[in-house]
Amino acid sequence: EAGVAQSPRYKIIEKRQSVAFWCNPISGHATLYWYQQILGQGPKLLIQFQNNGVVDDSQLPKDRFSAERLKGVDSTLKIQPAKLEDSAVYLCASSFFSSGRKNTGELFFGEGSRLTVL
Amino acid sequence: QQQVKQSPQSLIVQKGGISIINCAYENTAFDYFPWYQQFPGKGPALLIAIRPDVSEKKEGRFTISFNKSAKQFSLHIMDSQPGDSATYFCAAPGRNTGGFKTIFGAGTRLFVKA
């Protein structure tokens, strides 16, 4: 079974430039997450999709970050304009199901996209 | 803001020793408590998880101990090996409008000395 695919693996940009990251989740996984992991910290949830609908974007800096999940499969996370503090690894994860009543378990992560903003 | 508090921040253990990492959570509605392992340059991967209807779960050298009344759970790595050197994250579900999200602790960087 193929895992979660992410690209690019590495990206270096100047501040105020834009960048986009792509994620292809595991086939059949309805829930998709974007996490931000700053060096030395735990992953922080940016946005959670259930199929193609957003269920949580409370920690997404909406003035500069946007994300979409077209057709409930692939997802793109965009940053425009980037700031120095956006330097981090952006992790995409998927899970089979996350119901309203019970957490059903395991998140499957991609290898991440490392962003450096100069 | 819901939180998951993890300690210690870093840990150095001799080969063959026991590594213990602790985690405290806030919301009593949580029903799934995983530990994730992350190697450099890789995404986190599920190591072991427990549901609160049991107090302990063991898989090989890895054991989760769960204390519901104290709202704490811990990871024990027996006979620690250099290959266990990684960052470990505890996690717990938090509520959102769509149901549940997974909140991670800050991580514990484990180094096992050969």
Side-chain angles (χ1 to χ4, degrees):
Chain A
E1 179 182 82
V4 176
Q6 289 189 247
S7 68
R9 288 294 314 277
Y10 306 93
K11 190 73 176 180
I12 300 173
I13 61 174
E14 301 279 340
K15 61 182 179 182
R16 291 187 290 274
Q17 287 186 324
S18 63
V19 63
F21 302 112
W22 172 82
C23 173
N24 181 246
I26 291 174
S27 177
H29 280 194
T31 310
L32 184 146
Y33 315 78
W34 283 100
Y35 282 86
Q36 180 192 57
Q37 186 175 26
I38 293 172
L39 186 64
Q41 298 183 17
K44 182 183 87 170
L45 180 68
L46 293 176
I47 189 166
Q48 177 179 341
F49 292 94
Q50 184 79 7
N51 296 307
N52 61 351
V54 175
V55 298
D56 191 328
D57 63 358
S58 57
Q59 295 196 81
L60 187 73
K62 298 180 185 64
D63 57 334
R64 299 183 299 106
F65 285 65
S66 64
E68 59 183 8
R69 190 182 184 194
L70 299 176
K71 301 180 181 178
V73 182
D74 292 9
S75 178
T76 302
L77 176 71
K78 296 180 181 178
I79 307 174
Q80 181 179 14
K83 292 185 175 182
L84 296 177
E85 60 260 36
D86 298 333
S87 294
V89 175
Y90 291 86
L91 294 164
C92 179
S94 68
S95 66
F96 178 67
F97 189 62
S98 179
S99 73
R101 294 187 302 164
K102 185 177 180 180
N103 185 300
T104 54
E106 183 175 3
L107 269 61
F108 295 83
F109 283 88
E111 294 197 321
S113 295
R114 181 179 295 277
L115 173 65
T116 302
V117 182
L118 303 176
Chain B
Q1 178 71 359
Q2 297 162 330
Q3 287 189 337
V4 176
K5 295 182 180 180
Q6 183 174 345
S7 63
Q9 194 170 34
S10 62
L11 186 59
I12 300 174
V13 174
Q14 291 285 350
K15 178 182 176 182
I18 301 173
S19 304
I20 301 174
I21 306 171
N22 301 299
C23 196
Y25 63 95
E26 296 179 341
N27 193 320
T28 56
F30 294 164
D31 64 353
Y32 178 75
F33 299 89
W35 285 93
Y36 284 80
Q37 180 187 55
Q38 185 177 30
F39 293 103
K42 302 292 185 181
L46 181 67
L47 180 64
I48 186 171
I50 194 170
R51 296 201 182 269
D53 52 348
V54 297
S55 60
E56 186 174 282
K57 181 176 181 180
K58 184 176 181 179
E59 290 184 358
R61 297 184 293 107
F62 302 91
T63 300
I64 295 181
S65 297
F66 185 80
N67 186 331
K68 189 172 183 177
S69 61
K71 297 182 186 179
Q72 295 178 346
F73 60 110
S74 61
L75 175 68
H76 295 236
I77 305 175
M78 311 300 288
D79 186 26
S80 298
Q81 298 296 312
D84 298 330
S85 297
T87 302
Y88 293 81
F89 296 96
C90 63
R95 286 197 179 275
N96 58 26
T97 56
F100 286 96
K101 60 184 176 184
T102 299
I103 301 171
F104 286 83
T108 297
R109 183 171 290 188
L110 171 66
F111 180 69
V112 181
K113 296 170 66 175

